[in-house]
Amino acid sequence: MVAMNSQTPRTKSNVWIPLLLGLLLSVFYFYHGRMSTYERFFSNNTITAPLLSVYYQWLSAVLIFFIIPSLTWTGVMGYRLKEMGLRFGDWKKGLLALAIGIPLMLLYAFGASQMYEFQDIYPLYKYIGMENIWVILRYYLTAFLFYFSYEAFIRGFIFHAMKDELGILGAILIAALAGAPVYIGASEMEGVVSILLHMAFGAVAWKTRSFLYTAVLSWIWLVAVDWFIILGI
């Protein structure tokens, strides 16, 4: 198949394929990719380690949100992965986004850590503060794979397929809609704030032509909210 680039006009099928697949993958993740699925179908009395259900959720996201969309993008639609945002893009704007975004995400994490509705959910592994450094590093490395995959799906696969047909704002909104099931069951405040973050992250992905920067920002939030709660800051 001949590789395409950003100048190649996208056909209607190359808009509908990611739109339909995006919605299906998001719903599939909600029903079969989260911790509750592991607890229902895979756990038993001899496998009770608290981290296993968390790892199941995060690694399921790698398959559902990165591998399947990437294969569709390259093998079915015929585009290069960098066209999906898997690149540093405009790194100067990316660094600016990190410089502005990291303090804001830390502030959000600090505020969230003071609220009981977040304390009931995070850290996902309640005892991480009492484990050794290698467990902690493995835990957060796997967490980054989740955010990398989720952003590849939302700010990469969906956004870049939609933006030429629906415009930037339309693409940001459709991407937010496709990613909404991930937040079902989260705290009410997290769901509300996620709407604002989707808009801001969409703008970052547009300006930088990359989803890597928003993946880093999301990951930093998780690490920060965990440790603000663990340390009682």
Side-chain angles (χ1 to χ4, degrees):
M1 181 178 293
V2 178
M4 302 182 185
N5 55 49
S6 59
Q7 303 303 316
T8 305
R10 284 171 165 77
T11 66
K12 294 294 183 181
S13 64
N14 278 2
V15 172
W16 285 109
I17 287 173
L19 179 60
L20 294 176
L21 184 60
L23 291 173
L24 288 173
L25 290 177
S26 189
V27 172
F28 183 82
Y29 177 79
F30 175 74
Y31 284 107
H32 299 291
R34 304 204 301 177
M35 288 186 287
S36 57
T37 302
Y38 174 85
E39 292 161 359
R40 289 200 311 271
F41 298 113
F42 301 106
S43 62
N44 57 55
N45 293 332
T46 62
I47 305 178
T48 57
L51 273 178
L52 291 180
S53 61
V54 179
Y55 287 155
Y56 171 83
Q57 175 171 295
W58 286 343
L59 294 176
S60 293
V62 176
L63 171 64
I64 296 170
F65 289 149
F66 181 70
I67 294 178
I68 294 176
S70 295
L71 291 175
T72 303
W73 186 262
T74 57
V76 177
M77 299 168 64
Y79 296 102
R80 300 184 180 94
L81 278 178
K82 69 177 183 179
E83 301 286 343
M84 202 175 82
L86 184 56
R87 56 183 172 182
F88 289 109
D90 190 332
W91 60 269
K92 292 182 179 179
K93 291 181 179 178
L95 292 179
L96 178 61
L98 292 178
I100 297 173
I102 288 175
L104 292 176
M105 296 304 281
L106 291 176
L107 182 62
Y108 170 34
F110 175 76
S113 71
Q114 310 305 306
M115 303 175 67
Y116 289 115
E117 59 183 306
F118 282 86
Q119 293 172 11
D120 287 341
I121 298 173
Y122 299 99
L124 292 176
Y125 178 34
K126 297 295 183 180
Y127 309 106
I128 190 172
M130 296 185 289
E131 293 288 350
N132 64 57
I133 187 64
W134 299 113
V135 172
I136 294 172
L137 290 176
R138 184 169 65 245
Y139 176 83
Y140 286 115
L141 175 60
T142 311
F144 181 76
L145 292 177
F146 165 78
Y147 285 109
F148 172 88
S149 301
Y150 179 71
E151 289 298 316
F153 172 66
I154 298 298
R155 248 64 66 176
F157 183 65
I158 301 296
F159 174 76
H160 286 288
M162 298 291 109
K163 64 183 176 66
D164 291 338
E165 185 72 17
L166 302 179
I168 300 302
L169 181 58
I172 291 173
L173 292 175
I174 291 295
L177 177 63
V182 172
Y183 291 95
I184 297 175
S187 69
E188 182 178 348
M189 179 61 70
E190 187 174 1
V192 171
V193 174
S194 72
I195 298 173
L196 300 177
L197 288 178
H198 270 301
M199 302 301 291
F201 282 8
V204 172
W206 169 42
K207 292 294 186 179
T208 63
R209 305 186 306 280
S210 171
F211 60 78
L212 299 178
Y213 305 102
T214 54
V216 170
L217 290 174
S218 298
W219 179 75
I220 285 174
W221 180 87
L222 176 73
V223 176
V225 77
D226 274 5
W227 285 94
F228 281 144
I229 293 173
I230 289 170
L231 299 176
I233 296 176

